[in-house]
Amino acid sequence: MDVGKPAGEDAETALGGGRCAYQGAPGAFSHEACMALRPWDEAVAYDSFEAALAALKSGEVGCALIPVENSAIGRVEPAATLVEAADLNIVSEVWRPIRLALMAPAGASLRTVRTAESHPIALRQCPASLAALGLTPVEAFDTAGAARAVAEAGDVTRAAVAPVGAAEVYDLSILRNDIQDSENNRTRFVLLSPRTA
C-alpha cells in the first residue's frame, strides 16, 4: 500500500521531491515503513523524532513518517506529543504489523546472551518474552541502532530486539523470531507534510 502519493503526480514531485524523514537507523521499523509505503522516496534517517520533524519544517525533506500509536502499549512517546504540537498536516495514516526478533553476533546463542538492547517502546512490547529468556532489557535510541551497536561490539552476551531486516543490514544472527508479547502487535504511522497557507 502506497501512502500519501497524490493521483497524477510522479514520484519526483509527490510531497517534496522524494525525501521522507524517519527516526532511527537503517533497518528500523520506521525505515521499513518508509521503504514499503513510500518506495518512490529517498528515506532519510534522523536520530530523534524532534530532528525528523525539524527537517520537515525547514524544507530539508518533503514529508515525514512517524509512529504515534502501538496496539500493545498505546501512544508512542514522545513522538505522538511532538506530532500533535508540530502544526503539520497529517496526509494519511496506516497501521503496520510489528514483528520483533532477537538477534546477536555470530557465535552467540540463547545460552550466551544476557542483555537485550532496543528502543524503550520496543522493549515495552516484549517484557514477558525477555523475562522468559532470562534477558535484561537495555534501552537504546532505536531498534536498528541497537542492532548496529550489538554488531559493532561483537559481544556474544549482547543481543538486540529489532526488525528482522536489521539482522540483514548489520550481519546478525536471528536467535528467536516473533518475541513480541502480542500476536497482533501493530503500530500506527502518520505521514506528515508542511501546512499550506
Side-chain angles (χ1 to χ4, degrees):
M1 171 186 197
D2 293 341
V3 176
K5 185 175 183 183
E9 287 197 34
D10 66 31
E12 293 304 310
T13 60
L15 287 180
R19 290 171 51 86
C20 184
Y22 70 92
Q23 182 277 329
F29 285 110
S30 292
H31 180 238
E32 287 186 346
C34 279
M35 301 300 288
L37 303 173
R38 306 272 309 168
W40 58 87
D41 279 344
E42 173 190 357
V44 183
Y46 291 90
D47 286 343
S48 68
F49 295 115
E50 293 91 343
L53 295 174
L56 177 56
K57 287 182 173 185
S58 74
E60 187 177 323
V61 296
C63 60
L65 193 61
I66 305 293
V68 294
E69 183 180 1
N70 176 269
S71 59
I73 64 165
R75 289 171 60 95
V76 174
E77 293 294 358
T81 298
L82 291 168
V83 166
E84 289 168 355
D87 193 36
L88 295 166
N89 184 42
I90 296 178
V91 176
S92 60
E93 63 180 60
V94 64
W95 283 91
R96 296 213 8 111
I98 301 295
R99 299 289 175 253
L100 300 170
L102 184 69
M103 57 195 67
S109 70
L110 290 175
R111 284 187 228 146
T112 66
V113 294
R114 299 288 174 255
T115 61
E117 302 173 28
S118 196
H119 189 279
I121 296 295
L123 293 173
R124 287 180 51 205
Q125 294 169 39
C126 60
S129 295
L130 295 181
L133 293 169
L135 299 176
T136 302
V138 176
E139 292 185 2
F141 91 97
D142 175 54
T143 54
R148 181 176 57 208
V150 165
E152 289 171 354
D155 181 347
V156 297
T157 67
R158 292 173 62 182
V161 174
V164 169
E168 296 170 19
V169 172
Y170 301 108
D171 196 28
L172 295 171
S173 298
I174 302 287
L175 302 180
R176 174 111 4 127
N177 275 310
D178 289 328
I179 64 164
Q180 66 279 349
D181 292 343
S182 169
E183 284 185 28
N184 192 30
N185 193 29
R186 300 176 303 134
T187 292
R188 182 168 62 100
F189 289 85
V190 293
L191 179 67
L192 304 166
S193 69
R195 287 209 185 271
T196 54

